[in-house]
Coordinates of all heavy atoms in Angstrom, one line a residue:
M222 N 0.8 -1.2 0.0 CA 0.0 0.0 0.0 C 0.9 1.3 0.0 O 2.0 1.3 0.5 CB -0.9 0.0 1.2 CG -2.0 1.1 1.3 SD -3.1 1.0 -0.1 CE -4.1 -0.5 0.3
F223 N 0.4 2.3 -0.6 CA 1.1 3.6 -0.6 C 1.4 4.1 0.8 O 0.6 3.9 1.7 CB 0.2 4.7 -1.2 CG 0.0 4.6 -2.7 CD1 -1.2 5.1 -3.2 CD2 0.9 4.0 -3.5 CE1 -1.4 5.0 -4.6 CE2 0.7 3.9 -4.9 CZ -0.5 4.4 -5.4
S224 N 2.6 4.7 1.0 CA 2.8 5.5 2.2 C 3.4 6.8 1.7 O 4.1 6.9 0.8 CB 3.6 4.7 3.2 OG 4.9 4.3 2.6
C225 N 3.1 7.8 2.5 CA 3.6 9.2 2.2 C 5.1 9.2 2.2 O 5.7 8.7 3.2 CB 2.9 10.2 3.1 SG 3.6 11.8 3.0
A226 N 5.7 9.8 1.2 CA 7.2 9.9 1.2 C 7.8 10.8 2.2 O 8.9 10.7 2.6 CB 7.7 10.2 -0.2
S227 N 6.9 11.8 2.7 CA 7.5 12.7 3.6 C 7.1 12.5 5.1 O 7.9 12.7 6.0 CB 7.2 14.2 3.2 OG 5.9 14.4 3.0
C228 N 5.9 12.0 5.4 CA 5.6 11.7 6.8 C 5.4 10.2 7.1 O 5.2 9.9 8.2 CB 4.3 12.5 7.2 SG 2.8 11.9 6.5
G229 N 5.4 9.4 6.0 CA 5.2 8.0 6.3 C 3.8 7.5 6.5 O 3.5 6.4 6.8
Y230 N 2.8 8.4 6.3 CA 1.4 8.1 6.5 C 1.0 7.0 5.6 O 1.2 7.0 4.4 CB 0.5 9.3 6.3 CG -0.9 9.1 6.3 CD1 -1.6 8.9 7.5 CD2 -1.6 9.0 5.1 CE1 -3.0 8.7 7.5 CE2 -3.0 8.8 5.1 CZ -3.7 8.6 6.3 OH -5.0 8.4 6.2
K231 N 0.4 5.9 6.1 CA -0.1 4.9 5.3 C -1.5 5.2 4.7 O -2.4 5.5 5.5 CB -0.3 3.6 6.1 CG 1.1 3.0 6.6 CD 1.5 1.9 5.7 CE 2.9 1.3 6.1 NZ 3.9 1.4 5.1
F232 N -1.6 5.2 3.4 CA -2.9 5.6 2.8 C -3.8 4.4 3.0 O -3.5 3.3 2.9 CB -2.6 5.8 1.3 CG -2.0 7.1 1.0 CD1 -0.8 7.5 1.4 CD2 -2.8 8.0 0.2 CE1 -0.2 8.7 1.1 CE2 -2.3 9.3 -0.1 CZ -1.0 9.6 0.3
K233 N -5.1 4.8 3.1 CA -6.1 3.8 3.1 C -6.4 3.5 1.6 O -6.2 4.4 0.7 CB -7.4 4.3 3.8 CG -7.2 4.5 5.2 CD -8.6 5.0 5.9 CE -8.3 5.4 7.3 NZ -7.4 6.5 7.5
Y234 N -7.0 2.3 1.3 CA -7.2 1.9 0.0 C -8.0 3.0 -0.8 O -7.7 3.4 -1.9 CB -7.9 0.6 -0.1 CG -8.0 0.0 -1.4 CD1 -6.9 -0.5 -2.0 CD2 -9.2 0.0 -2.2 CE1 -6.9 -1.1 -3.3 CE2 -9.2 -0.6 -3.4 CZ -8.1 -1.1 -4.0 OH -8.2 -1.6 -5.3
K235 N -9.1 3.5 -0.1 CA -10.0 4.5 -0.7 C -9.2 5.8 -1.0 O -9.6 6.5 -2.0 CB -11.1 4.6 0.2 CG -11.9 5.8 0.2 CD -13.1 5.6 1.2 CE -13.0 6.5 2.3 NZ -13.1 6.8 3.5
E236 N -8.2 6.1 -0.2 CA -7.4 7.3 -0.5 C -6.4 7.1 -1.6 O -6.0 8.1 -2.3 CB -6.7 7.8 0.8 CG -7.6 8.3 1.9 CD -7.0 8.3 3.3 OE1 -5.9 7.7 3.4 OE2 -7.6 8.9 4.2
A237 N -6.0 5.9 -1.7 CA -4.9 5.6 -2.7 C -5.5 5.5 -4.1 O -4.8 5.8 -5.1 CB -4.3 4.2 -2.3
M238 N -6.8 5.0 -4.2 CA -7.4 4.8 -5.5 C -7.3 6.0 -6.5 O -7.0 5.9 -7.6 CB -8.8 4.4 -5.4 CG -9.0 2.8 -5.3 SD -8.0 1.9 -6.4 CE -8.9 2.2 -7.9
P239 N -7.6 7.2 -6.0 CA -7.6 8.4 -7.0 C -6.3 8.6 -7.7 O -6.3 9.3 -8.7 CB -8.0 9.6 -6.1 CG -8.7 9.0 -4.9 CD -8.0 7.7 -4.7
F240 N -5.2 8.1 -7.1 CA -3.9 8.2 -7.8 C -3.9 7.6 -9.2 O -3.3 8.1 -10.1 CB -2.8 7.6 -6.9 CG -2.2 8.5 -5.9 CD1 -2.7 8.4 -4.6 CD2 -1.2 9.4 -6.3 CE1 -2.1 9.2 -3.6 CE2 -0.7 10.2 -5.3 CZ -1.1 10.2 -4.0
S241 N -4.7 6.6 -9.3 CA -4.7 5.9 -10.6 C -5.1 6.8 -11.7 O -4.6 6.7 -12.8 CB -5.6 4.7 -10.5 OG -5.3 3.9 -9.4
W242 N -6.1 7.7 -11.5 CA -6.5 8.5 -12.6 C -6.0 10.0 -12.4 O -6.4 10.9 -13.1 CB -8.0 8.5 -12.8 CG -8.8 8.7 -11.6 CD1 -9.2 9.8 -11.0 CD2 -9.4 7.6 -10.7 NE1 -10.0 9.6 -9.9 CE2 -10.1 8.2 -9.7 CE3 -9.4 6.2 -10.8 CZ2 -10.8 7.5 -8.7 CZ3 -10.0 5.5 -9.8 CH2 -10.7 6.1 -8.8
N243 N -5.1 10.2 -11.4 CA -4.5 11.5 -11.2 C -3.0 11.5 -11.1 O -2.4 12.3 -10.6 CB -5.0 12.0 -9.9 CG -5.9 13.3 -10.1 OD1 -5.8 13.9 -11.1 ND2 -6.7 13.6 -9.1
A244 N -2.4 10.4 -11.7 CA -1.0 10.1 -11.5 C -0.1 11.3 -12.0 O 0.9 11.6 -11.3 CB -0.6 8.9 -12.3
R245 N -0.5 12.0 -13.0 CA 0.4 13.0 -13.6 C 0.5 14.3 -12.7 O 1.6 14.8 -12.5 CB 0.0 13.4 -15.0 CG 0.0 12.3 -15.9 CD 0.6 12.7 -17.3 NE 0.7 11.5 -18.1 CZ 1.9 10.8 -18.2 NH1 2.9 11.2 -17.5 NH2 1.9 9.7 -18.9
V246 N -0.6 14.7 -12.1 CA -0.6 15.9 -11.3 C -0.3 15.6 -9.9 O 0.1 16.6 -9.2 CB -2.0 16.7 -11.4 CG1 -2.1 17.3 -12.8 CG2 -3.1 15.7 -11.2
G247 N -0.4 14.4 -9.4 CA -0.1 14.1 -8.1 C -1.3 14.4 -7.2 O -2.3 15.0 -7.6
R248 N -1.2 14.0 -5.9 CA -2.3 14.3 -5.0 C -1.7 14.6 -3.6 O -0.5 14.2 -3.3 CB -3.2 13.1 -4.8 CG -4.2 13.0 -5.9 CD -5.1 11.8 -5.7 NE -6.0 11.9 -4.5 CZ -7.1 12.6 -4.5 NH1 -7.5 13.2 -5.6 NH2 -7.8 12.7 -3.4
D249 N -2.4 15.4 -2.8 CA -1.9 15.7 -1.5 C -2.0 14.6 -0.5 O -3.1 13.9 -0.5 CB -2.6 17.0 -1.0 CG -2.4 18.2 -1.8 OD1 -1.4 18.2 -2.6 OD2 -3.2 19.1 -1.8
C250 N -1.1 14.5 0.4 CA -1.1 13.5 1.5 C -2.2 13.9 2.4 O -2.3 15.1 2.8 CB 0.2 13.4 2.2 SG 0.1 12.6 3.8
P251 N -3.2 13.1 2.8 CA -4.3 13.5 3.7 C -3.7 13.8 5.1 O -4.4 14.5 5.9 CB -5.1 12.2 3.8 CG -4.6 11.2 2.9 CD -3.2 11.7 2.5
N252 N -2.6 13.4 5.5 CA -2.0 13.7 6.8 C -1.2 15.0 6.9 O -1.5 15.8 7.7 CB -1.2 12.5 7.2 CG -0.7 12.6 8.7 OD1 -1.6 12.9 9.5 ND2 0.5 12.3 9.0
C253 N -0.2 15.1 6.0 CA 0.7 16.3 6.1 C 0.5 17.3 4.9 O 1.0 18.4 5.0 CB 2.2 15.8 6.1 SG 2.8 15.1 4.6
G254 N -0.3 16.9 3.9 CA -0.6 17.8 2.9 C 0.5 18.0 1.8 O 0.4 18.8 0.9
T255 N 1.6 17.2 1.9 CA 2.6 17.3 0.9 C 2.1 16.6 -0.4 O 1.6 15.5 -0.3 CB 3.9 16.6 1.4 OG1 4.2 17.1 2.7 CG2 5.1 16.8 0.4
R256 N 2.4 17.2 -1.5 CA 2.0 16.6 -2.8 C 2.8 15.4 -3.1 O 4.0 15.4 -3.0 CB 2.1 17.7 -3.9 CG 1.5 17.2 -5.2 CD 0.8 18.3 -5.9 NE -0.5 18.5 -5.3 CZ -1.7 18.6 -6.0 NH1 -1.7 18.5 -7.3 NH2 -2.8 18.8 -5.4
Q257 N 2.1 14.3 -3.4 CA 2.7 13.0 -3.7 C 2.6 12.6 -5.2 O 1.5 12.8 -5.7 CB 2.1 11.9 -2.8 CG 2.2 12.2 -1.3 CD 3.7 12.1 -0.8 OE1 4.3 11.1 -1.1 NE2 4.2 13.1 -0.2
Y258 N 3.6 12.1 -5.7 CA 3.6 11.6 -7.1 C 4.0 10.2 -7.1 O 4.6 9.7 -6.2 CB 4.6 12.4 -7.9 CG 4.4 13.9 -7.9 CD1 5.0 14.7 -7.0 CD2 3.5 14.5 -8.8 CE1 4.9 16.0 -6.9 CE2 3.3 15.9 -8.7 CZ 4.0 16.6 -7.8 OH 3.8 18.0 -7.8
Y259 N 3.7 9.5 -8.2 CA 4.3 8.2 -8.4 C 5.8 8.3 -8.5 O 6.3 9.2 -9.1 CB 3.8 7.5 -9.7 CG 2.4 7.0 -9.6 CD1 1.6 6.9 -10.7 CD2 1.9 6.4 -8.4 CE1 0.3 6.4 -10.7 CE2 0.6 5.9 -8.4 CZ -0.2 5.9 -9.5 OH -1.4 5.3 -9.5
S260 N 6.5 7.4 -7.9 CA 8.0 7.4 -8.1 C 8.3 7.0 -9.5 O 7.5 6.4 -10.2 CB 8.6 6.5 -7.1 OG 8.3 5.1 -7.4
A261 N 9.5 7.3 -9.9 CA 9.9 7.0 -11.3 C 9.9 5.5 -11.5 O 9.4 5.0 -12.6 CB 11.3 7.5 -11.5
A262 N 10.3 4.7 -10.5 CA 10.3 3.3 -10.6 C 8.8 2.8 -10.9 O 8.6 1.9 -11.7 CB 10.9 2.6 -9.4
S263 N 7.9 3.4 -10.2 CA 6.5 3.0 -10.3 C 6.0 3.3 -11.7 O 5.2 2.6 -12.3 CB 5.6 3.7 -9.3 OG 6.1 3.5 -8.0
R264 N 6.4 4.5 -12.2 CA 5.9 4.9 -13.6 C 6.5 3.9 -14.6 O 5.8 3.6 -15.6 CB 6.2 6.3 -13.8 CG 5.1 7.2 -13.3 CD 5.4 8.7 -13.6 NE 6.5 9.1 -12.7 CZ 7.4 10.1 -13.1 NH1 7.3 10.7 -14.3 NH2 8.3 10.5 -12.3
K265 N 7.7 3.5 -14.3 CA 8.3 2.5 -15.3 C 7.5 1.2 -15.2 O 7.2 0.6 -16.3 CB 9.8 2.2 -14.9 CG 10.7 3.2 -15.6 CD 12.2 2.8 -15.3 CE 12.9 4.1 -14.9 NZ 14.2 3.8 -14.3
K266 N 7.2 0.8 -14.0 CA 6.4 -0.4 -13.9 C 5.1 -0.3 -14.7 O 4.7 -1.2 -15.4 CB 6.0 -0.6 -12.4 CG 7.0 -1.6 -11.7 CD 6.4 -1.9 -10.3 CE 7.5 -1.8 -9.2 NZ 7.0 -1.8 -7.9
S267 N 4.4 0.9 -14.5 CA 3.1 1.0 -15.2 C 3.3 1.0 -16.7 O 2.5 0.5 -17.5 CB 2.4 2.3 -14.8 OG 2.9 3.4 -15.5
M268 N 4.5 1.4 -17.2 CA 4.8 1.4 -18.6 C 5.0 0.0 -19.1 O 4.5 -0.4 -20.1 CB 6.1 2.2 -18.9 CG 6.1 2.9 -20.2 SD 7.6 4.0 -20.2 CE 8.9 2.7 -20.1
Y269 N 5.7 -0.9 -18.3 CA 5.9 -2.3 -18.6 C 4.5 -3.0 -18.7 O 4.3 -3.8 -19.6 CB 6.8 -3.0 -17.6 CG 8.2 -2.4 -17.7 CD1 8.9 -2.2 -16.5 CD2 8.8 -2.1 -18.9 CE1 10.2 -1.7 -16.5 CE2 10.1 -1.6 -18.9 CZ 10.8 -1.4 -17.7 OH 12.1 -0.9 -17.8
F270 N 3.6 -2.7 -17.7 CA 2.3 -3.3 -17.7 C 1.6 -3.0 -19.0 O 1.0 -3.8 -19.6 CB 1.5 -2.8 -16.5 CG 1.7 -3.5 -15.2 CD1 2.3 -2.9 -14.1 CD2 1.4 -4.9 -15.1 CE1 2.6 -3.6 -13.0 CE2 1.6 -5.6 -14.0 CZ 2.2 -4.9 -12.9
T271 N 1.6 -1.7 -19.4 CA 1.0 -1.3 -20.6 C 1.6 -2.0 -21.8 O 0.8 -2.5 -22.7 CB 1.2 0.2 -20.8 OG1 0.9 0.9 -19.6 CG2 0.2 0.7 -21.9
L272 N 2.9 -2.2 -21.8 CA 3.6 -2.8 -22.9 C 3.1 -4.3 -23.0 O 2.8 -4.8 -24.1 CB 5.1 -2.8 -22.6 CG 6.0 -2.7 -23.9 CD1 5.7 -1.4 -24.6 CD2 7.4 -2.8 -23.4
V273 N 3.1 -5.0 -21.8 CA 2.7 -6.4 -21.8 C 1.3 -6.5 -22.3 O 0.9 -7.4 -23.0 CB 2.9 -7.0 -20.3 CG1 2.2 -8.3 -20.2 CG2 4.3 -7.1 -20.0
G274 N 0.4 -5.6 -21.8 CA -1.0 -5.6 -22.2 C -1.1 -5.5 -23.7 O -1.9 -6.2 -24.3
M275 N -0.3 -4.6 -24.3 CA -0.4 -4.4 -25.8 C 0.1 -5.6 -26.5 O -0.5 -6.0 -27.5 CB 0.5 -3.2 -26.2 CG -0.3 -1.9 -26.3 SD 0.7 -0.4 -26.1 CE 2.0 -0.7 -27.3
I276 N 1.1 -6.3 -26.0 CA 1.6 -7.5 -26.6 C 0.5 -8.6 -26.5 O 0.2 -9.3 -27.5 CB 2.9 -8.0 -25.9 CG1 4.0 -7.1 -26.2 CG2 3.2 -9.4 -26.3 CD1 5.3 -7.2 -25.3
I277 N -0.2 -8.7 -25.4 CA -1.2 -9.7 -25.2 C -2.4 -9.4 -26.2 O -2.9 -10.3 -26.9 CB -1.8 -9.7 -23.8 CG1 -0.7 -10.2 -22.8 CG2 -3.1 -10.6 -23.7 CD1 -1.1 -10.2 -21.4
I278 N -2.7 -8.1 -26.4 CA -3.8 -7.8 -27.3 C -3.4 -8.1 -28.8 O -4.2 -8.6 -29.5 CB -4.2 -6.3 -27.1 CG1 -4.9 -6.1 -25.8 CG2 -5.0 -5.8 -28.3 CD1 -5.0 -4.7 -25.3
I279 N -2.1 -7.7 -29.1 CA -1.7 -8.0 -30.5 C -1.7 -9.5 -30.7 O -2.1 -10.0 -31.7 CB -0.3 -7.4 -30.7 CG1 -0.3 -5.9 -30.7 CG2 0.3 -7.9 -32.0 CD1 1.0 -5.2 -30.6
F280 N -1.2 -10.3 -29.7 CA -1.2 -11.7 -29.8 C -2.6 -12.3 -30.0 O -2.8 -13.1 -30.8 CB -0.5 -12.3 -28.5 CG -0.6 -13.8 -28.5 CD1 0.2 -14.6 -29.3 CD2 -1.5 -14.5 -27.6 CE1 0.2 -16.0 -29.2 CE2 -1.6 -15.9 -27.6 CZ -0.7 -16.6 -28.4
S281 N -3.5 -11.8 -29.1 CA -4.9 -12.4 -29.2 C -5.5 -12.0 -30.6 O -6.4 -12.7 -31.1 CB -5.8 -11.9 -28.0 OG -5.7 -10.5 -27.9
N282 N -5.1 -10.9 -31.1 CA -5.6 -10.5 -32.4 C -5.0 -11.4 -33.5 O -5.7 -11.8 -34.5 CB -5.1 -9.1 -32.7 CG -6.2 -8.2 -33.2 OD1 -7.3 -8.7 -33.6 ND2 -6.0 -6.9 -33.1
S283 N -3.8 -11.8 -33.3 CA -3.1 -12.7 -34.4 C -3.6 -14.1 -34.4 O -3.5 -14.8 -35.3 CB -1.6 -12.6 -34.2 OG -1.2 -13.3 -33.0
I284 N -4.2 -14.5 -33.2 CA -4.8 -15.9 -33.2 C -6.3 -15.8 -33.6 O -7.1 -16.8 -33.3 CB -4.6 -16.6 -31.9 CG1 -5.1 -15.8 -30.7 CG2 -3.1 -17.0 -31.7 CD1 -5.2 -16.6 -29.4
N285 N -6.7 -14.7 -34.1 CA -8.1 -14.5 -34.6 C -9.2 -14.6 -33.5 O -10.2 -15.2 -33.7 CB -8.4 -15.5 -35.7 CG -7.8 -15.1 -37.0 OD1 -7.7 -13.9 -37.3 ND2 -7.4 -16.0 -37.9
L286 N -8.8 -14.2 -32.3 CA -9.8 -14.1 -31.3 C -10.8 -13.1 -31.6 O -10.5 -12.0 -32.1 CB -9.1 -13.7 -30.0 CG -9.7 -14.1 -28.6 CD1 -9.7 -15.6 -28.4 CD2 -9.0 -13.4 -27.5
P287 N -12.1 -13.4 -31.5 CA -13.1 -12.4 -31.8 C -12.9 -11.1 -31.1 O -12.6 -11.1 -29.9 CB -14.5 -13.0 -31.4 CG -14.2 -14.5 -31.3 CD -12.7 -14.6 -30.9
L288 N -13.2 -10.0 -31.7 CA -12.9 -8.7 -31.2 C -13.5 -8.4 -29.8 O -12.9 -7.9 -28.9 CB -13.4 -7.6 -32.2 CG -12.7 -6.2 -32.1 CD1 -11.2 -6.4 -32.2 CD2 -13.2 -5.3 -33.1
P289 N -14.8 -8.9 -29.5 CA -15.3 -8.6 -28.2 C -14.5 -9.3 -27.1 O -14.4 -8.7 -26.0 CB -16.7 -9.3 -28.3 CG -17.1 -9.3 -29.7 CD -15.8 -9.5 -30.4
Y290 N -13.9 -10.4 -27.4 CA -13.0 -11.0 -26.4 C -11.8 -10.2 -26.1 O -11.3 -10.1 -25.0 CB -12.6 -12.5 -26.8 CG -13.7 -13.5 -26.7 CD1 -14.4 -13.9 -27.8 CD2 -14.1 -14.0 -25.5 CE1 -15.5 -14.8 -27.8 CE2 -15.1 -14.9 -25.4 CZ -15.8 -15.3 -26.5 OH -16.9 -16.2 -26.4
V291 N -11.2 -9.7 -27.2 CA -10.0 -8.8 -27.1 C -10.4 -7.6 -26.2 O -9.6 -7.3 -25.3 CB -9.6 -8.3 -28.5 CG1 -8.4 -7.4 -28.4 CG2 -9.2 -9.5 -29.4
F292 N -11.5 -7.0 -26.4 CA -11.9 -5.9 -25.6 C -12.1 -6.3 -24.2 O -11.8 -5.6 -23.2 CB -13.2 -5.3 -26.1 CG -13.0 -4.3 -27.3 CD1 -13.6 -4.5 -28.5 CD2 -12.1 -3.3 -27.2 CE1 -13.4 -3.6 -29.6 CE2 -11.8 -2.4 -28.2 CZ -12.5 -2.6 -29.4
L293 N -12.7 -7.5 -24.0 CA -12.9 -8.0 -22.7 C -11.6 -8.2 -21.9 O -11.5 -7.8 -20.8 CB -13.7 -9.4 -22.8 CG -14.2 -9.9 -21.4 CD1 -15.4 -9.1 -20.9 CD2 -14.6 -11.4 -21.6
I294 N -10.7 -8.8 -22.6 CA -9.3 -9.0 -22.0 C -8.7 -7.7 -21.6 O -8.2 -7.5 -20.5 CB -8.4 -9.8 -22.9 CG1 -9.0 -11.3 -23.1 CG2 -7.0 -9.9 -22.4 CD1 -8.3 -12.0 -24.2
A295 N -8.8 -6.8 -22.6 CA -8.2 -5.4 -22.3 C -8.9 -4.8 -21.1 O -8.2 -4.2 -20.3 CB -8.3 -4.6 -23.6
G296 N -10.2 -4.9 -21.1 CA -10.9 -4.3 -20.0 C -10.5 -4.9 -18.6 O -10.3 -4.1 -17.6
V297 N -10.4 -6.2 -18.6 CA -10.1 -6.9 -17.4 C -8.7 -6.5 -16.9 O -8.4 -6.2 -15.7 CB -10.2 -8.4 -17.5 CG1 -9.5 -9.1 -16.4 CG2 -11.6 -8.9 -17.7
M298 N -7.8 -6.4 -17.9 CA -6.4 -6.0 -17.5 C -6.3 -4.6 -17.0 O -5.6 -4.3 -16.0 CB -5.5 -6.2 -18.8 CG -5.1 -7.6 -19.0 SD -3.8 -7.8 -20.2 CE -4.3 -6.6 -21.5
V299 N -7.0 -3.7 -17.7 CA -7.0 -2.3 -17.2 C -7.6 -2.2 -15.8 O -7.0 -1.5 -14.9 CB -7.8 -1.4 -18.2 CG1 -7.9 0.0 -17.6 CG2 -7.0 -1.2 -19.5
S300 N -8.7 -2.8 -15.5 CA -9.3 -2.7 -14.2 C -8.4 -3.4 -13.2 O -8.3 -2.9 -12.0 CB -10.7 -3.2 -14.1 OG -11.1 -4.0 -15.2
A301 N -7.8 -4.5 -13.6 CA -6.9 -5.2 -12.6 C -5.8 -4.3 -12.2 O -5.4 -4.1 -11.1 CB -6.4 -6.5 -13.2
L302 N -5.2 -3.6 -13.2 CA -4.1 -2.7 -13.0 C -4.5 -1.6 -12.1 O -3.8 -1.2 -11.1 CB -3.5 -2.2 -14.3 CG -2.3 -1.2 -14.2 CD1 -1.2 -1.9 -13.5 CD2 -1.9 -0.7 -15.5
L303 N -5.7 -1.0 -12.4 CA -6.2 0.1 -11.5 C -6.4 -0.3 -10.1 O -6.0 0.4 -9.2 CB -7.5 0.7 -12.1 CG -7.4 1.5 -13.4 CD1 -8.7 2.0 -13.8 CD2 -6.5 2.8 -13.1
L304 N -7.0 -1.5 -9.9 CA -7.3 -2.0 -8.6 C -6.0 -2.3 -7.8 O -6.0 -2.2 -6.6 CB -8.2 -3.2 -8.6 CG -9.6 -2.9 -9.1 CD1 -10.4 -4.2 -9.3 CD2 -10.3 -2.0 -8.2
L305 N -5.0 -2.8 -8.5 CA -3.8 -3.2 -7.9 C -2.7 -2.1 -7.7 O -1.8 -2.3 -6.9 CB -3.1 -4.4 -8.7 CG -3.9 -5.7 -8.7 CD1 -3.2 -6.7 -9.6 CD2 -4.0 -6.3 -7.3
T306 N -3.0 -1.0 -8.3 CA -2.0 0.1 -8.3 C -1.5 0.4 -6.9 O -0.3 0.5 -6.7 CB -2.6 1.4 -8.9 OG1 -3.0 1.1 -10.2 CG2 -1.7 2.5 -8.9
P307 N -2.4 0.6 -5.9 CA -1.9 0.9 -4.5 C -1.0 -0.1 -3.9 O -0.2 0.2 -3.0 CB -3.2 1.0 -3.7 CG -4.3 1.2 -4.7 CD -3.9 0.5 -5.9
F308 N -1.0 -1.3 -4.4 CA -0.2 -2.4 -3.8 C 1.2 -2.5 -4.5 O 2.2 -3.0 -4.0 CB -0.9 -3.7 -3.9 CG -2.2 -3.7 -3.1 CD1 -3.4 -3.7 -3.9 CD2 -2.2 -3.7 -1.8 CE1 -4.6 -3.6 -3.2 CE2 -3.4 -3.7 -1.1 CZ -4.6 -3.7 -1.8
I309 N 1.2 -2.1 -5.8 CA 2.5 -2.3 -6.5 C 3.3 -1.0 -6.7 O 4.5 -1.1 -7.0 CB 2.2 -3.0 -7.9 CG1 1.0 -2.5 -8.6 CG2 2.3 -4.5 -7.8 CD1 0.6 -3.2 -9.9
F310 N 2.7 0.1 -6.6 CA 3.4 1.4 -6.8 C 3.8 2.0 -5.5 O 3.3 1.8 -4.5 CB 2.5 2.3 -7.6 CG 2.3 1.9 -9.0 CD1 2.9 0.7 -9.5 CD2 1.5 2.7 -9.9 CE1 2.7 0.3 -10.8 CE2 1.4 2.3 -11.2 CZ 1.9 1.1 -11.7
E311 N 4.8 2.9 -5.7 CA 5.3 3.7 -4.5 C 5.2 5.2 -4.8 O 5.1 5.6 -6.0 CB 6.7 3.4 -4.2 CG 6.9 2.0 -3.7 CD 8.1 1.3 -4.4 OE1 9.0 2.0 -4.8 OE2 8.0 0.1 -4.5
L312 N 5.2 6.0 -3.8 CA 5.0 7.4 -4.0 C 6.3 8.1 -3.7 O 7.2 7.6 -3.0 CB 4.0 8.0 -3.0 CG 2.6 7.4 -3.2 CD1 1.6 8.0 -2.2 CD2 2.1 7.7 -4.6
S313 N 6.4 9.3 -4.2 CA 7.6 10.1 -4.0 C 7.1 11.6 -3.7 O 6.0 11.9 -4.2 CB 8.5 10.1 -5.2 OG 9.3 11.2 -5.3
D314 N 7.8 12.4 -3.0 CA 7.3 13.7 -2.7 C 7.8 14.7 -3.7 O 7.6 15.9 -3.6 CB 7.5 14.2 -1.3 CG 9.0 14.0 -0.9 OD1 9.8 13.7 -1.7 OD2 9.3 14.3 0.3
E315 N 8.5 14.2 -4.7 CA 8.9 15.1 -5.8 C 8.6 14.4 -7.2 O 8.6 13.2 -7.2 CB 10.3 15.6 -5.7 CG 11.3 14.4 -5.6 CD 12.6 14.9 -5.1 OE1 13.2 15.8 -5.8 OE2 13.1 14.4 -4.1
E316 N 8.5 15.2 -8.2 CA 8.3 14.5 -9.5 C 9.7 14.1 -10.0 O 10.5 14.9 -10.5 CB 7.7 15.5 -10.5 CG 6.2 15.3 -10.7 CD 5.6 16.2 -11.8 OE1 5.7 17.4 -11.7 OE2 5.1 15.6 -12.8
E317 N 9.9 12.8 -9.9 CA 11.2 12.3 -10.3 C 11.3 12.2 -11.8 O 10.3 11.9 -12.4 CB 11.5 10.9 -9.7 CG 11.5 10.9 -8.2 CD 11.5 9.5 -7.6 OE1 11.3 8.6 -8.3 OE2 11.6 9.4 -6.3
P318 N 12.5 12.5 -12.4 CA 12.6 12.3 -13.8 C 12.5 10.8 -14.1 O 12.9 9.9 -13.3 CB 14.0 12.8 -14.2 CG 14.7 12.9 -12.9 CD 13.7 13.0 -11.8
M319 N 12.0 10.4 -15.3 CA 11.7 9.0 -15.6 C 13.0 8.2 -15.7 O 13.0 7.1 -15.3 CB 11.0 9.0 -17.0 CG 10.4 7.7 -17.3 SD 8.9 7.4 -16.4 CE 8.2 6.1 -17.4
W320 N 14.1 8.8 -16.2 CA 15.3 8.0 -16.4 C 16.5 8.5 -15.6 O 16.6 9.6 -15.4 CB 15.7 7.9 -17.9 CG 14.6 7.4 -18.7 CD1 13.8 8.2 -19.6 CD2 14.0 6.1 -18.7 NE1 12.8 7.4 -20.1 CE2 12.9 6.2 -19.6 CE3 14.3 4.9 -18.1 CZ2 12.1 5.1 -19.9 CZ3 13.5 3.8 -18.4 CH2 12.4 3.9 -19.3
Ligands
ZN467 ZN1 2.3 12.9 4.5

């Protein structure tokens, strides 16, 4: 689960969720108010997830899987990633450069 990079506050799941759709601008820590961003390592992770997802979609396309199934797989993967984000990503109190 996320913890604040400056005060160590452990986010509750419900507080951690909005990061998934607010990752670029960051969000304030509910405890100390410091703006938190995904760490560079976390953003790299999310990039790899996207990459793997694209490979799976291209693969399922090449084995002639019907389009609705491809969309279904993509949807399941996106929601799984969103739901798991607070467990696999970490926060940083500054916007770290990607590389
Ligand atoms: Zn904090």
Side-chain angles (χ1 to χ4, degrees):
M222 187 60 71
F223 290 152
S224 55
C225 172
S227 51
C228 73
Y230 171 79
K231 295 259 177 241
F232 282 65
K233 291 181 189 65
Y234 190 72
K235 158 173 111 212
E236 290 161 350
M238 271 317 285
F240 272 97
S241 309
W242 48 86
N243 244 342
R245 297 222 174 268
V246 287
R248 278 181 69 81
D249 296 337
C250 166
N252 188 45
C253 68
T255 311
R256 189 140 281 231
Q257 301 290 308
Y258 305 91
Y259 281 152
S260 68
S263 303
R264 275 181 287 149
K265 269 183 226 168
K266 266 189 225 168
S267 81
M268 215 173 60
Y269 295 138
F270 274 115
T271 315
L272 212 65
V273 170
M275 266 156 54
I276 292 166
I277 293 173
I278 288 166
I279 293 166
F280 173 76
S281 52
N282 230 342
S283 67
I284 56 168
N285 283 327
L286 203 70
L288 206 56
Y290 286 105
V291 177
F292 279 125
L293 189 72
I294 293 170
V297 168
M298 282 190 320
V299 169
S300 16
L302 180 60
L303 284 179
L304 291 173
L305 291 175
T306 299
F308 302 103
I309 36 185
F310 289 0
E311 290 133 32
L312 297 178
S313 158
D314 53 5
E315 53 194 306
E316 260 188 298
E317 298 170 354
M319 192 76 165
W320 307 108

